Amino acid sequence: MNKNTDAILLVEDNPDDAELTKLALARHGLEGRVVHVSDGMQALDYLYRRDGFSHRAGGNPILVLLDLKMPLLDGIGVLREIKGSDTLKTIPVVVLTSSTEPTDLQRAYDAGTNAYIAKPTEFAQFLSAMKHVCEFWVNINQTAPQSSGSRNSGFGTLN
C-alpha cells in the first residue's frame, strides 16, 4: 500500500458515536491511528493543516470516515471540498451516518463519496461493518500517490 500517513480521520459530532467508532476500530488493530474531529470545519482545518492542525505531519489520511449531519459545515460540504481539491480528491471517503434517507444517499454519491454506510444500531453489527471497512479501505485498497496533479480517482465502492 502506498501510504504517506497511517491516520484515519473520523469526522463525527456525536461524542458517543465517535467513541463507539474508535472502539470498533481499536478492536481491529487501529488504535492510535484515528484522529477525531467533531465538525466539518475542523475536518478541513486538519486536511489543509490550518489553525490547530498547522503543525501536524504532512500527508493525507488513508481514509476519512464522515458523518453527514454536523454543525458549521455538514458532511456533504466537506465531501464536496475534498473531491474538488487536487491535493485531497484521491483520499477515500466513507460516509458513516445514521441516515438511511434516499436523498442523503444520493447527495453523498453525487458529491463523490467512495462508500456509504448506514450505522447499524446493534453493536455486533457495527463491529462487523467496521471490520469490513478496515479490511478493504485500510488493508486492501491501494491509495493513489499524493501529488497536486494526481488524476487517479478510481476507487471501489462498498454498498
Side-chain angles (χ1 to χ4, degrees):
M1 183 184 305
N2 179 10
K3 293 187 216 175
N4 287 324
T5 181
D6 286 338
I8 297 167
L9 180 61
L10 172 62
V11 188
E12 171 62 66
D13 66 318
N14 182 308
D16 293 333
D17 285 352
E19 285 307 310
L20 181 65
T21 303
K22 290 190 283 188
L23 174 63
L25 293 172
R27 287 199 178 182
H28 298 293
L30 298 171
E31 58 273 332
R33 292 176 60 181
V34 179
V35 175
H36 171 235
V37 296
S38 56
D39 66 57
M41 292 305 297
Q42 287 179 353
L44 295 181
D45 287 345
Y46 177 86
L47 292 168
Y48 286 118
R49 299 174 64 206
R50 304 185 296 219
D51 295 333
F53 300 102
S54 61
H55 298 294
R56 80 164 178 87
N60 292 332
I62 60 169
L63 177 66
V64 174
L65 296 174
L66 181 64
D67 189 23
L68 288 183
K69 315 259 190 229
M70 295 182 296
L72 301 180
L73 179 64
D74 71 2
I76 297 298
V78 173
L79 188 54
R80 285 184 179 136
E81 178 67 29
I82 290 171
K83 296 305 178 178
S85 166
D86 284 342
T87 59
L88 303 176
K89 68 183 175 186
T90 59
I91 302 171
V93 178
V94 173
V95 169
L96 183 62
T97 184
S98 57
S99 176
T100 58
E101 293 295 320
T103 55
D104 286 338
L105 180 72
Q106 188 62 53
R107 287 177 62 226
Y109 275 106
D110 287 347
T113 192
N114 297 100
Y116 189 104
I117 299 172
K119 297 174 192 170
T121 56
E122 295 197 17
F123 185 65
Q125 292 174 339
F126 186 76
L127 282 176
S128 177
M130 289 298 94
K131 176 182 180 189
H132 294 297
V133 166
C134 295
E135 286 175 354
F136 183 78
W137 293 106
V138 176
N139 297 324
I140 296 172
N141 185 51
Q142 297 290 306
T143 57
Q146 293 183 27
S147 71
S148 61
S150 177
R151 297 280 181 228
N152 184 353
S153 60
F155 294 106
T157 58
L158 296 175
N159 292 316

